Amino acid sequence: MRKEELYEKGEELRAASCFREAVLAFQKALEVTPSGDGAFRLLVLKRLGDCLRMVGAFEEAKRAYAEALRLAQSAQDDLEIADCLAGLGLAQRGLGELEEARRSLERAKEIYEEYDDPEGEAFVLWALGGLWRVTGELKQAREYFTEALFLFEQLEDPSGIGYCHCGLGGVERVAGNFALSLEHYSTANGLFEEVHDTFGRAYSFCGMGNAHRMMEHFGDALEYFRRAEELYRDIGDEVSYAWTLWSFGTALKVLRKFDEAREKLEAARLLFTKTGDVRGMVYELLAVAEIAFLEGRKEEALALFERAETSLSGRPLKLEKIHLKLYRWLAGEEGISLDDIRKLYRKLGAHFLPFSPAFPLNLP
């Protein structure tokens, strides 16, 4: 099969959210593309990086984007450089290389603004919104997602609009605005249904489930998690699937179905470990520690808190560090004030904490 046919096959599979199969098609296209055909190799490498990122293969995606960036720099094509930097930034974010990700994305944003490329600017604003969400800077995340949403609306891009609503849904959930979170995710889901975006549907189903979970609508929450779980399995996105499993496990934990919760959380742990998602590993550790504490195994819980502390050391994960303080306060550790914890959350714009928090905790 000719390289152009393999590329088109990969594009069709990518559009259908068949990312694992698309990776194979793009890899084959790359194999049959001569080394001297830099322009086509650049095109394939960018798409290969996109699909590798979608299945959680962030290290491989990073290599693909880095090679594409080298070719774009050799061709002195600034917009191609920006595209490569945007993809590279998302791969770096997935690997937890958050400062490197910020630099890549900010540089891409500068180029898009210089060339008045609203499509590129909207995408990178959305990516930066996600970065600020990960680091716990909720106000900045909301600002970037809102700006990206405005541009995608100007471009009349339903998928872009949907992903911005998903980003805002995540921000509002952590901020404590659960009904607004559900509204954002529901809007996104309607858009993804219209354009047959399978990945977007899975993403929004998980978000809707989490919003319902926070409002203690557990029947609805579990149903949406089941829908997301089924779609993510088909897509092969192990990163998002892991977070759905954590959400599912958290709901079961709050319902005190500890055996079922442990099963979901263990499955999440395996995927977080496989994809190198340190932030995800911390959330899983906290949930498992909480169950251990509730079952009377306090020493085991405290040991798991120590592991979470080690994992967070030196990382700009502000929200997760406060979560750990809260868990330790709930476990009865001295020297920690609930009022101080509330102030730390509020400084980031998070107001989800109940008046009298207790285990099992429904963490957003």
Side-chain angles (χ1 to χ4, degrees):
M1 194 178 290
R2 294 167 54 245
K3 66 180 191 296
E4 292 85 1
E5 293 172 325
L6 287 165
Y7 176 80
E8 288 302 321
K9 181 181 177 182
E11 281 289 77
E12 290 173 11
L13 290 165
R14 185 178 71 88
S17 297
C18 299
F19 299 114
R20 285 177 295 195
E21 295 83 354
V23 164
L24 297 176
F26 288 129
Q27 286 175 333
K28 288 178 182 176
L30 204 58
E31 288 171 7
V32 300
T33 302
S35 58
D37 191 349
F40 195 79
R41 290 185 71 83
L42 170 59
L43 185 65
V44 176
L45 282 163
K46 284 197 303 178
R47 286 293 181 250
L48 177 60
D50 292 343
C51 293
L52 286 166
R53 179 168 51 79
M54 294 303 288
V55 297
F58 294 120
E59 197 63 62
E60 293 175 64
K62 182 178 170 181
R63 287 196 292 270
Y65 288 128
E67 176 60 17
L69 179 60
R70 186 188 65 78
L71 292 170
Q73 289 170 332
S74 295
Q76 297 183 328
D77 188 325
D78 286 346
L79 285 175
E80 288 288 4
I81 289 170
D83 289 349
C84 296
L85 285 168
L88 180 62
L90 285 169
Q92 290 166 328
R93 191 183 79 183
L95 289 166
E97 299 170 357
L98 301 180
E99 183 55 34
E100 294 87 342
R102 186 192 63 77
R103 286 197 296 267
S104 296
L105 294 171
E106 290 285 6
R107 178 60 186 136
K109 180 172 176 286
E110 289 172 4
I111 296 171
Y112 288 134
E113 288 174 341
E114 181 182 347
Y115 282 84
D116 193 20
D117 183 336
E119 186 175 356
E121 188 180 351
F123 179 79
V124 82
L125 282 167
W126 168 81
L128 281 163
L131 177 65
W132 296 125
R133 165 68 182 86
V134 168
T135 59
E137 301 285 355
L138 301 184
K139 295 172 186 176
Q140 284 180 271
R142 186 186 288 110
E143 179 184 323
Y144 275 78
F145 282 135
T146 301
E147 194 173 345
L149 176 61
F150 173 79
L151 288 177
F152 277 124
E153 286 175 339
Q154 298 297 110
L155 293 164
E156 299 182 350
D157 180 340
S159 282
I161 294 168
Y163 285 109
C164 289
H165 276 295
C166 282
L168 286 166
V171 170
E172 297 303 344
R173 183 178 73 249
V174 177
N177 304 318
F178 307 134
L180 181 55
S181 174
L182 179 59
E183 185 180 324
H184 279 300
Y185 281 120
S186 299
T187 299
N189 185 260
L191 291 164
F192 293 139
E193 292 282 1
E194 286 179 13
V195 298
H196 308 292
D197 186 329
T198 304
F199 177 83
R201 287 174 60 227
Y203 185 8
S204 54
F205 279 146
C206 184
M208 291 163 76
N210 275 317
H212 278 294
R213 173 173 64 83
M214 295 310 300
M215 291 188 287
E216 300 186 351
H217 304 159
F218 291 108
D220 290 330
L222 296 178
E223 178 56 34
Y224 281 120
F225 292 146
R226 289 188 189 99
R227 294 189 196 180
E229 197 175 19
E230 182 179 345
L231 289 174
Y232 279 135
R233 272 200 302 261
D234 292 342
I235 293 168
D237 176 4
E238 296 181 332
V239 178
S240 302
Y241 184 26
W243 282 102
T244 299
L245 288 166
W246 173 83
S247 300
F248 210 145
T250 297
L252 292 166
K253 177 201 71 181
V254 174
L255 292 169
R256 294 182 177 270
K257 297 181 179 182
F258 295 147
D259 289 340
E260 294 176 62
R262 263 190 294 263
E263 183 181 333
K264 295 293 185 184
L265 293 167
E266 172 62 13
R269 184 189 67 79
L270 292 173
L271 291 177
F272 285 138
T273 303
K274 181 178 179 182
T275 59
D277 190 336
V278 174
R279 180 168 161 265
M281 292 179 213
V282 168
Y283 277 94
E284 189 272 340
L285 281 169
L286 293 178
V288 173
E290 182 179 353
I291 293 172
F293 185 86
L294 287 166
E295 292 181 333
R297 292 175 279 116
K298 184 175 180 179
E299 292 304 315
E300 180 182 336
L302 295 178
L304 290 168
F305 291 154
E306 287 300 321
R307 284 177 57 190
E309 180 87 54
T310 300
S311 297
L312 287 169
S313 179
R315 297 180 183 274
L317 299 173
K318 297 179 181 179
L319 198 60
E320 290 69 27
K321 289 177 181 178
I322 306 173
H323 291 338
L324 179 56
K325 288 180 184 293
L326 174 62
Y327 272 71
R328 284 184 150 155
W329 180 83
L330 288 167
E333 286 196 28
E334 296 181 357
I336 302 173
S337 160
L338 182 58
D339 284 341
D340 287 343
I341 291 170
R342 285 190 191 281
K343 288 175 184 175
L344 289 171
Y345 277 131
R346 286 171 181 165
K347 188 175 180 181
L348 295 181
H351 304 273
F352 67 86
L353 199 59
F355 181 74
S356 299
F359 286 150
L361 188 66
N362 199 10
L363 201 64

